[in-house]
Amino acid sequence: MSKIRAAILGASGYTGADLVRLALTHPEIEITALAAGSKAGQSMAAIWPHFTPYALPPLTAAEAVDFAAVDVVFGCLPHAASARLLGTINEATIIDLSADFRLRDAATYAEWYGGEHPAPHLLESAVYGLTEFARSELPGAQLIACPGCYPTAVLLALTPLLESGLIGAERITINALSGVSGSGRGLKEANLFAEVAEAVHPYGLGHHRHMPEIEQQLALAAGAPVTISFTPHLVPINRGELVTCIVELAEGQTHLSLRAALADRYAHEPFVHLLPEGQAPATRMVRGSNHAVVNAFADRIPGRAIVAAAIDNLVKGSSGQAIQNMNVALGLPETMGLEAAPLFP
Amino acid sequence: MSKIRAAILGASGYTGADLVRLALTHPEIEITALAAGSKAGQSMAAIWPHFTPYALPPLTAAEAVDFAAVDVVFGCLPHAASARLLGTINEATIIDLSADFRLRDAATYAEWYGGEHPAPHLLESAVYGLTEFARSELPGAQLIACPGCYPTAVLLALTPLLESGLIGAERITINALSGVSGSGRGLKEANLFAEVAEAVHPYGLGHHRHMPEIEQQLALAAGAPVTISFTPHLVPINRGELVTCIVELAEGQTHLSLRAALADRYAHEPFVHLLPEGQAPATRMVRGSNHAVVNAFADRIPGRAIVAAAIDNLVKGSSGQAIQNMNVALGLPETMGLEAAPLFP
Amino acid sequence: MSKIRAAILGASGYTGADLVRLALTHPEIEITALAAGSKAGQSMAAIWPHFTPYALPPLTAAEAVDFAAVDVVFGCLPHAASARLLGTINEATIIDLSADFRLRDAATYAEWYGGEHPAPHLLESAVYGLTEFARSELPGAQLIACPGCYPTAVLLALTPLLESGLIGAERITINALSGVSGSGRGLKEANLFAEVAEAVHPYGLGHHRHMPEIEQQLALAAGAPVTISFTPHLVPINRGELVTCIVELAEGQTHLSLRAALADRYAHEPFVHLLPEGQAPATRMVRGSNHAVVNAFADRIPGRAIVAAAIDNLVKGSSGQAIQNMNVALGLPETMGLEAAPLFP
Amino acid sequence: MSKIRAAILGASGYTGADLVRLALTHPEIEITALAAGSKAGQSMAAIWPHFTPYALPPLTAAEAVDFAAVDVVFGCLPHAASARLLGTINEATIIDLSADFRLRDAATYAEWYGGEHPAPHLLESAVYGLTEFARSELPGAQLIACPGCYPTAVLLALTPLLESGLIGAERITINALSGVSGSGRGLKEANLFAEVAEAVHPYGLGHHRHMPEIEQQLALAAGAPVTISFTPHLVPINRGELVTCIVELAEGQTHLSLRAALADRYAHEPFVHLLPEGQAPATRMVRGSNHAVVNAFADRIPGRAIVAAAIDNLVKGSSGQAIQNMNVALGLPETMGLEAAPLFP
């Protein structure tokens, strides 16, 4: 069988580059097109010197890609631009890493992303690709929306607990820490080394765009509307995302019930791992890999617990999950190309 | 008038060294004794090369200090060892930076610090030195207990709000981030560069020793018992501490009421500053200085708010506040020796 | 006597901000004007939140400053722009931190800085302000050119050795490491956190602009032309600069002769310190301070030695030295406002 | 065919852990024994939580390994301890990552490593495993000494140039920067985060143990004795090593001749890459991978050039090269298990 011909759109961003990194060692992927509007005509090595050793197609404009000649399109474009372009492609499986097809409701999208949805007719058919919870919908899907990085971490921590009714849907309070790569390669003063290093701060208090996405998916798990508190922080690391969620236990439950449920749910998952009692998830445990680690702890306030998860925001939180989704969608072994162990130190 | 003769015990730790740093430019302090048991006989420059330019007394054992010849003793010793030694000193004003005199209740101390309190008779008279809230008790005090670093940040954020009844004493949920200097210069694998850099993780989940101290002080402010949720994280920075507290608003209040109360309370404080509406506290705003920045935000969950504060854990959270306390205790201008602006970048 | 009225031009850059930091605690400086063209109309706290606690003049355009009402102008403008503006000021002592008045020769300037010098008539009278070697020329000077950061470190290490003939002027090979603040607050991809963190690389190989400045000053010390090898590296720190210079020993000399000469030359210097035999200069020894540390070591190749120095590029390498120069120029104690000990950790 | 049964001794160190990381995805390696004396009886996940997802043998004492049941032994033990143990193994191919079999001369070893060599009879037969230059000796070798990390970078940069006579053997001046993982997981104050972060310094000036190894190998390439100058620095990164070598050009040569020679020599190398004219090697280009990047530049001093190289000290500088050597020694494709692209950011 010939390889899967893949186009990666937005290859000049950190997410696109990480997709290229993973695709390069995926035994069934052949990268046949790389697009990045502002860098069209350049080589990947010119804008990403760490790809110097690799033969890769030159960058083109996204519109210049012959989509009839590719099997899978990975979209790493900014929101809105993503939907505008992807909405025109019919020939290939589309795996979108932007925010455009995550929200089911076009009105919510318009409220949080500042404009009409460019392709609302696709919202219904898009599969929300948190792989571990989407396996039945992925095979054969034409459009897969990869979850945001924060939602990935939160949903892995909380979905089984809400589904089983072990925790309440009220007062879910999420604290989150993210590495700087999460905000992209764009030129912002806030992302300069001297601003970020040796410093931490919260941001997006009360209005971060991942909120409605998390609420949408938690509500599906809970079978009831969910409103969350969400406090993200920028921390001086390149990669890594950590969430600690304060939840209300259902009557009679303890953090041990949560651990039991997580153990049960993730026992056979290749990429999600419950840590031993008392061991805190740490981003260093998953750096550079598609793994996630989770755990639950007693809170000092009775009737509550702390559920924590760590991922690499660029891998399980983005490019790795995209490939995991592709694997499932196309009938390949789910772990193919994603077996690399974390890079520590 | 002659200068204040100061002894610094535990000068081989980060806190002790930061006290020396500040004392060196304090116009009324003369460092007359430096103690560090394990390093007795060495010069400060030998263990802290950044003090090479400065003439300082050699290190001795703490027991070898002639306390009759000093006016102020700064204790930067480990808990228990601190109370054992300080309990024997009658001649000087004692400013303790350990945990030994922060808790009012010896039984609570024994529970959290793993042993009987070495000098319980001193607990009642010790002044809890969160300077901004202790000014009436500090002048002439013989024993001042400097707050822990996390408690300092939390109490600056929440005390005025609890005192005024704008927030409830229930369900206070504190998320916290701390730089690595907070865990000292001891040789622990967990503090090695390669373990900490490019990584974050929570720790002490449900059982961090600063919990009872925070609860004790918040209860005093609320006039009612307080049980908190507290989730600290280690972040790869040297200095800096950040807390984001999720609180329940009293009936009819909003985050704007909280901002108004903080503005009112801190309007004339030299070291505590309310940031403009919407601006998040960041550790880079206070690095190396005795300043604290605070702010309040709307939470997405109705009826709640987020109150955040940032300090330098070694300065306002430790050595700087110790000097601030000394200034007030001895009738000096409160800001003396603490005027340096934050070091950024 | 009234205070020295100071204008700081280019206050929106790291150097300008560090000057403000130091000036704020200088007992004889009153900041009366702050200029930053692109930010005119804003407050300093708006662009530098760490100045929130301080009352400072609002930012104006540099052209809008009433130079007749200031005693000292600190220029932190880009090269060329600096000379264009400063060349029009007659009323105040000018302390320029740009590269414009460091080179004595307008042709060399044109070659390395890409254009005619905007005010060549001032080159002859400008004092090259490496304070320790310019004390006789500084008092009453009208225009002082502060050395570049790399030159400061190199010249402190090598000038006494060349002047005394202990080392040769041939084959001086300088390796250098600099923190990121050295390249400013401008928006460049190369300065993004994710590009710089967890990474090092050399830059400007063979053509860094500090080369002719170093050569000019070393030649003055040697009494002969000097051509250097200079290899700077970017390292993931905010502040700090380190140079290790490989030099040829004069006949019969060893690194101990160099240590003796440095000891002799710097014995009474408040800011330059020879470390004990065998102790390597480290940037953590000087962070945030105006101090420099130097030392000499045997090289494994016979007849050579290694001379190393560390400074904080923003302080002794820039703003601190500017104030040190002002102090000497105006007859104030040289250390005034610069006494703060290094910030470690 | 059954897989290669591999034992990894010293699995509790960073080098050992990185070997495990790479071995886990090597298609022909089965890890059958893991040894770490001080941690015997523990699981790998207990001491290295990032291996939580992987099934690995428990740690034993090195002496408890049944060497008759393994095909390859990777030794990541401290020097001296390594030779003592490895000298007793006859059954398996031995790939030693310690310093014990790198030097050909037992007297030199004794001088630099402070004691008699524990197994001098093996020195002659040990193959010095800088893979690119050892391919003819590796197949069937019983004992392979993997080069040190600094030597790997230096030798890749300079060996082809010395062999071809393009540069002289005199006055080779090497400046080097290394990440902290190079000094291991041992508990040393100097490796604490707060000591290392936001700081740089040189170390081992004039007496670093990699000097004689580099000299030995450069001498072989030059056909003449070589004495080097070597100035290593510690930089606050986990992984990465960078060298910039100042070399004397042979008559009539320029840096372009060097580039041509490097291009020629490395044209078909899978892991060594000449960068385009003017592009500086950077550790971020190779992070986490077995790649090396090299380049040559004009020096400002006539008749000299700068040759630079970057590697990941734990991969090409250690564990990756060990596997590369194993591949060649056992007749496997040289790149097997080492194809992963660098991790950036």
Side-chain angles (χ1 to χ4, degrees):
Chain A
M1 181 189 116
S2 59
K3 290 193 172 186
I4 298 158
R5 297 164 301 170
I8 298 174
L9 313 181
S12 63
Y14 292 137
T15 298
D18 216 45
L19 250 173
V20 172
R21 175 180 73 90
L22 293 169
L24 274 169
T25 48
H26 190 291
E28 293 298 334
I29 293 180
E30 180 187 1
I31 301 173
T32 55
L34 292 171
S38 62
K39 312 276 184 176
Q42 298 193 47
S43 71
M44 277 296 271
I47 63 167
W48 298 109
H50 67 293
F51 288 136
T52 296
Y54 301 89
L56 286 166
L59 290 162
T60 66
E63 295 74 13
V65 174
D66 176 7
F67 293 108
V70 300
D71 302 304
V72 175
V73 176
F74 291 100
C76 307
L77 300 169
H79 67 85
S82 189
R84 269 195 298 274
L85 179 68
L86 300 181
T88 68
I89 304 173
N90 298 304
E91 305 90 335
T93 300
I94 297 171
I95 301 180
D96 186 24
L97 291 84
S98 86
D100 281 351
F101 299 104
R102 296 172 185 163
L103 296 175
R104 288 284 159 274
D105 179 35
T108 305
Y109 179 91
E111 176 191 347
W112 287 81
Y113 289 90
E116 290 304 299
H117 195 286
H121 60 288
L122 295 174
L123 290 179
E124 196 177 338
S125 64
V127 174
Y128 186 82
L130 184 70
T131 326
E132 286 74 9
F133 295 85
R135 284 197 188 98
S136 63
E137 306 164 75
L138 288 167
Q142 209 266 324
L143 173 57
I144 300 166
C146 292
C149 48
Y150 283 130
T152 295
V154 171
L155 296 173
L156 291 176
L158 300 187
T159 302
L161 308 178
L162 280 168
E163 287 183 343
S164 59
L166 292 172
I167 63 171
E170 301 287 311
R171 295 177 181 279
I172 294 174
T173 302
I174 301 163
N175 170 69
L177 282 63
S178 176
V180 185
S181 63
S183 70
R185 209 185 196 190
L187 295 181
K188 288 183 272 186
E189 192 175 86
N191 288 348
L192 292 176
F193 181 87
E195 311 286 316
V196 173
E198 182 62 11
V200 294
H201 65 88
Y203 66 99
L205 291 171
H207 55 78
H208 191 283
R209 280 170 169 167
H210 283 174
M211 281 181 167
E213 179 185 346
I214 294 171
E215 290 176 348
Q216 166 185 287
Q217 294 305 117
L218 291 181
L220 288 172
V226 171
T227 300
I228 60 164
S229 170
F230 182 61
T231 309
H233 299 75
L234 187 72
V235 291
I237 64 177
N238 283 329
R239 287 169 179 261
E241 207 149 71
L242 181 91
V243 297
T244 45
C245 311
I246 315 292
V247 295
E248 311 274 330
L249 291 161
E251 185 71 26
Q253 305 302 331
T254 69
H255 81 280
L256 296 172
S257 333
L258 308 192
R259 278 185 45 78
L262 294 168
D264 192 51
R265 176 61 185 82
Y266 295 130
H268 303 292
E269 286 295 344
F271 294 122
V272 190
H273 311 278
L274 178 67
L275 293 170
E277 166 75 13
Q279 186 173 31
T283 60
R284 68 172 175 269
M285 299 177 186
V286 298
R287 189 188 305 151
S289 83
N290 200 49
H291 293 293
V293 287
V294 299
N295 209 350
F297 305 85
D299 188 21
R300 183 158 164 78
I301 297 184
R304 312 208 315 188
I306 305 170
V307 190
I311 60 170
D312 182 317
N313 58 302
L314 287 182
V315 191
K316 182 60 182 169
S318 192
S319 308
Q321 186 154 253
I323 287 184
Q324 190 182 356
N325 282 333
M326 183 204 78
N327 286 342
V328 177
L330 302 189
L332 299 170
E334 186 170 331
T335 61
M336 183 175 277
L338 300 170
E339 300 91 347
L343 190 76
F344 175 78
Chain B
M1 184 188 113
S2 60
K3 289 195 174 185
I4 298 159
R5 297 164 303 171
I8 299 174
L9 313 181
S12 63
Y14 292 136
T15 298
D18 216 45
L19 250 174
V20 171
R21 176 181 72 90
L22 294 169
L24 274 168
T25 47
H26 191 291
E28 294 297 333
I29 292 181
E30 180 186 2
I31 301 173
T32 55
L34 292 171
S38 62
K39 312 274 186 178
Q42 299 192 49
S43 72
M44 278 294 273
I47 63 168
W48 298 109
H50 67 293
F51 288 135
T52 296
Y54 300 90
L56 286 166
L59 290 162
T60 65
E63 296 75 12
V65 174
D66 176 7
F67 292 109
V70 300
D71 302 305
V72 175
V73 176
F74 290 100
C76 306
L77 300 169
H79 67 85
S82 188
R84 270 195 298 275
L85 180 67
L86 300 181
T88 69
I89 303 173
N90 297 305
E91 305 91 336
T93 299
I94 298 172
I95 301 180
D96 187 23
L97 290 83
S98 87
D100 281 351
F101 299 104
R102 295 172 185 162
L103 296 176
R104 286 285 158 272
D105 179 35
T108 305
Y109 179 90
E111 176 191 346
W112 287 81
Y113 288 91
E116 290 303 300
H117 195 286
H121 60 290
L122 295 175
L123 290 178
E124 196 177 338
S125 64
V127 173
Y128 186 83
L130 184 71
T131 326
E132 284 75 10
F133 295 86
R135 284 199 189 100
S136 63
E137 305 164 75
L138 288 168
Q142 208 268 323
L143 173 56
I144 299 165
C146 291
C149 49
Y150 283 130
T152 295
V154 172
L155 297 174
L156 291 176
L158 301 187
T159 303
L161 309 178
L162 280 168
E163 286 182 345
S164 60
L166 292 172
I167 63 171
E170 302 287 309
R171 296 176 181 279
I172 294 174
T173 301
I174 302 163
N175 170 70
L177 282 63
S178 176
V180 186
S181 62
S183 70
R185 211 185 195 188
L187 296 181
K188 289 184 271 187
E189 192 174 86
N191 288 348
L192 292 176
F193 181 87
E195 311 285 318
V196 174
E198 182 62 11
V200 293
H201 65 88
Y203 67 99
L205 291 171
H207 55 79
H208 191 285
R209 279 171 168 167
H210 283 173
M211 280 181 169
E213 179 185 344
I214 295 171
E215 291 176 348
Q216 166 185 287
Q217 295 303 118
L218 292 181
L220 288 172
V226 171
T227 300
I228 60 165
S229 170
F230 181 61
T231 308
H233 298 76
L234 187 72
V235 292
I237 64 175
N238 284 327
R239 289 168 177 262
E241 208 148 72
L242 181 90
V243 296
T244 45
C245 311
I246 315 293
V247 295
E248 310 275 330
L249 291 161
E251 185 70 28
Q253 304 303 329
T254 70
H255 81 281
L256 296 173
S257 331
L258 307 192
R259 278 185 45 79
L262 294 168
D264 192 50
R265 175 61 184 82
Y266 294 131
H268 303 293
E269 286 294 345
F271 295 122
V272 189
H273 312 277
L274 178 68
L275 293 170
E277 166 75 13
Q279 186 175 30
T283 60
R284 68 172 177 270
M285 299 176 186
V286 297
R287 189 189 304 153
S289 82
N290 199 50
H291 292 293
V293 287
V294 300
N295 210 349
F297 306 85
D299 189 21
R300 183 157 163 80
I301 297 184
R304 311 208 316 188
I306 304 171
V307 189
I311 60 170
D312 182 317
N313 57 303
L314 287 181
V315 190
K316 182 60 181 169
S318 192
S319 308
Q321 186 154 253
I323 287 184
Q324 191 182 356
N325 283 331
M326 184 204 78
N327 287 342
V328 178
L330 303 188
L332 299 171
E334 185 170 330
T335 60
M336 183 176 277
L338 299 170
E339 300 91 345
L343 190 75
F344 176 79
Chain C
M1 184 189 114
S2 60
K3 290 195 172 185
I4 298 159
R5 299 163 302 171
I8 298 173
L9 313 182
S12 62
Y14 292 137
T15 298
D18 216 45
L19 251 173
V20 171
R21 176 181 71 90
L22 293 169
L24 275 167
T25 47
H26 191 291
E28 293 298 334
I29 292 179
E30 180 185 2
I31 301 172
T32 55
L34 292 171
S38 62
K39 312 278 183 175
Q42 297 193 47
S43 72
M44 278 295 272
I47 63 167
W48 297 110
H50 67 294
F51 287 135
T52 296
Y54 300 89
L56 286 165
L59 290 161
T60 66
E63 296 74 14
V65 173
D66 176 6
F67 292 107
V70 299
D71 302 305
V72 176
V73 175
F74 290 100
C76 306
L77 299 169
H79 67 85
S82 188
R84 270 195 297 275
L85 181 66
L86 300 181
T88 68
I89 304 174
N90 298 303
E91 306 90 336
T93 300
I94 298 172
I95 300 180
D96 186 23
L97 291 84
S98 86
D100 281 352
F101 299 104
R102 295 172 186 164
L103 296 175
R104 287 285 160 271
D105 179 33
T108 306
Y109 179 91
E111 176 192 347
W112 287 81
Y113 289 91
E116 289 305 299
H117 195 287
H121 60 290
L122 295 174
L123 289 179
E124 196 179 337
S125 64
V127 174
Y128 186 81
L130 184 71
T131 325
E132 285 75 11
F133 295 85
R135 285 198 187 100
S136 63
E137 306 164 75
L138 288 167
Q142 209 266 324
L143 172 57
I144 299 166
C146 291
C149 48
Y150 284 129
T152 295
V154 171
L155 296 174
L156 291 176
L158 300 187
T159 302
L161 309 178
L162 280 168
E163 286 183 344
S164 59
L166 292 172
I167 64 171
E170 301 288 309
R171 295 176 180 281
I172 294 174
T173 302
I174 302 164
N175 170 70
L177 283 63
S178 176
V180 186
S181 63
S183 71
R185 209 184 198 189
L187 295 181
K188 289 183 270 186
E189 192 174 86
N191 289 347
L192 292 176
F193 181 87
E195 311 286 317
V196 173
E198 182 64 8
V200 293
H201 65 89
Y203 67 99
L205 291 172
H207 55 78
H208 191 284
R209 281 171 169 167
H210 283 174
M211 281 183 170
E213 179 185 346
I214 295 172
E215 291 176 347
Q216 165 184 286
Q217 295 303 118
L218 291 182
L220 288 171
V226 172
T227 301
I228 59 164
S229 169
F230 182 60
T231 309
H233 298 76
L234 187 72
V235 291
I237 63 176
N238 284 330
R239 287 169 179 260
E241 207 147 71
L242 181 90
V243 296
T244 45
C245 310
I246 315 292
V247 295
E248 310 274 329
L249 291 161
E251 185 70 27
Q253 304 302 330
T254 70
H255 81 280
L256 296 173
S257 330
L258 308 191
R259 279 184 45 79
L262 294 168
D264 192 52
R265 175 62 184 81
Y266 295 131
H268 303 292
E269 286 293 345
F271 295 124
V272 189
H273 311 278
L274 177 68
L275 293 171
E277 166 75 14
Q279 186 174 31
T283 60
R284 65 172 179 270
M285 299 177 186
V286 298
R287 189 188 304 151
S289 82
N290 199 50
H291 292 294
V293 285
V294 299
N295 209 350
F297 306 84
D299 189 19
R300 183 158 163 78
I301 297 185
R304 312 206 318 186
I306 305 171
V307 190
I311 60 169
D312 181 317
N313 57 303
L314 288 181
V315 190
K316 182 60 182 168
S318 191
S319 308
Q321 186 154 253
I323 287 183
Q324 188 182 355
N325 283 332
M326 183 203 80
N327 287 340
V328 178
L330 302 189
L332 299 171
E334 186 170 331
T335 61
M336 184 176 274
L338 300 169
E339 299 91 345
L343 191 75
F344 175 78
Chain D
M1 183 188 113
S2 60
K3 290 195 175 185
I4 298 158
R5 298 162 302 170
I8 298 173
L9 314 182
S12 62
Y14 292 138
T15 298
D18 216 45
L19 250 174
V20 171
R21 176 180 72 90
L22 294 169
L24 274 168
T25 47
H26 190 291
E28 292 299 332
I29 291 180
E30 180 186 1
I31 301 172
T32 55
L34 292 171
S38 62
K39 312 275 185 179
Q42 299 193 47
S43 71
M44 278 295 272
I47 62 167
W48 297 110
H50 66 293
F51 288 134
T52 296
Y54 300 89
L56 285 165
L59 290 162
T60 66
E63 296 74 13
V65 173
D66 176 6
F67 292 109
V70 300
D71 302 305
V72 176
V73 176
F74 291 100
C76 307
L77 300 170
H79 68 86
S82 188
R84 269 194 298 274
L85 180 67
L86 299 181
T88 69
I89 304 174
N90 298 304
E91 305 89 338
T93 300
I94 298 172
I95 300 179
D96 186 24
L97 291 84
S98 86
D100 280 352
F101 300 103
R102 295 172 186 163
L103 296 176
R104 286 286 159 269
D105 179 33
T108 306
Y109 179 89
E111 176 191 346
W112 288 81
Y113 288 92
E116 290 304 298
H117 194 287
H121 60 290
L122 295 175
L123 289 179
E124 197 178 336
S125 64
V127 173
Y128 186 83
L130 184 70
T131 326
E132 285 74 10
F133 295 85
R135 284 199 189 98
S136 62
E137 306 163 75
L138 287 168
Q142 209 267 324
L143 173 56
I144 299 165
C146 290
C149 48
Y150 283 129
T152 295
V154 172
L155 296 173
L156 290 175
L158 301 188
T159 302
L161 308 179
L162 280 168
E163 287 183 343
S164 59
L166 292 172
I167 63 171
E170 301 287 308
R171 297 177 179 278
I172 294 174
T173 301
I174 302 163
N175 170 70
L177 283 62
S178 175
V180 186
S181 62
S183 69
R185 211 186 195 189
L187 295 181
K188 288 182 273 186
E189 193 174 85
N191 289 347
L192 292 176
F193 181 87
E195 311 286 316
V196 174
E198 183 61 10
V200 294
H201 65 89
Y203 67 99
L205 290 172
H207 56 78
H208 191 284
R209 281 172 167 166
H210 282 174
M211 280 182 170
E213 178 184 346
I214 295 171
E215 290 177 348
Q216 164 185 287
Q217 295 303 118
L218 291 182
L220 288 172
V226 172
T227 301
I228 59 165
S229 169
F230 182 60
T231 308
H233 298 76
L234 186 73
V235 292
I237 64 177
N238 283 330
R239 289 169 178 260
E241 208 148 70
L242 182 91
V243 295
T244 46
C245 311
I246 315 293
V247 295
E248 311 274 330
L249 291 161
E251 185 68 29
Q253 305 303 330
T254 69
H255 82 280
L256 296 173
S257 330
L258 308 192
R259 279 185 44 80
L262 294 169
D264 192 51
R265 175 61 184 83
Y266 295 131
H268 303 293
E269 287 295 343
F271 295 123
V272 189
H273 312 278
L274 178 68
L275 293 171
E277 166 75 13
Q279 186 174 32
T283 61
R284 67 171 178 271
M285 300 178 185
V286 297
R287 189 188 303 152
S289 82
N290 200 50
H291 293 293
V293 286
V294 299
N295 211 348
F297 305 85
D299 188 21
R300 182 156 164 80
I301 296 184
R304 311 206 318 186
I306 304 170
V307 190
I311 60 170
D312 182 317
N313 57 302
L314 288 181
V315 190
K316 182 59 181 167
S318 193
S319 308
Q321 186 155 253
I323 288 184
Q324 190 182 355
N325 283 332
M326 184 204 78
N327 286 341
V328 178
L330 302 189
L332 298 171
E334 185 170 331
T335 60
M336 184 176 275
L338 299 170
E339 300 91 347
L343 190 76
F344 175 78

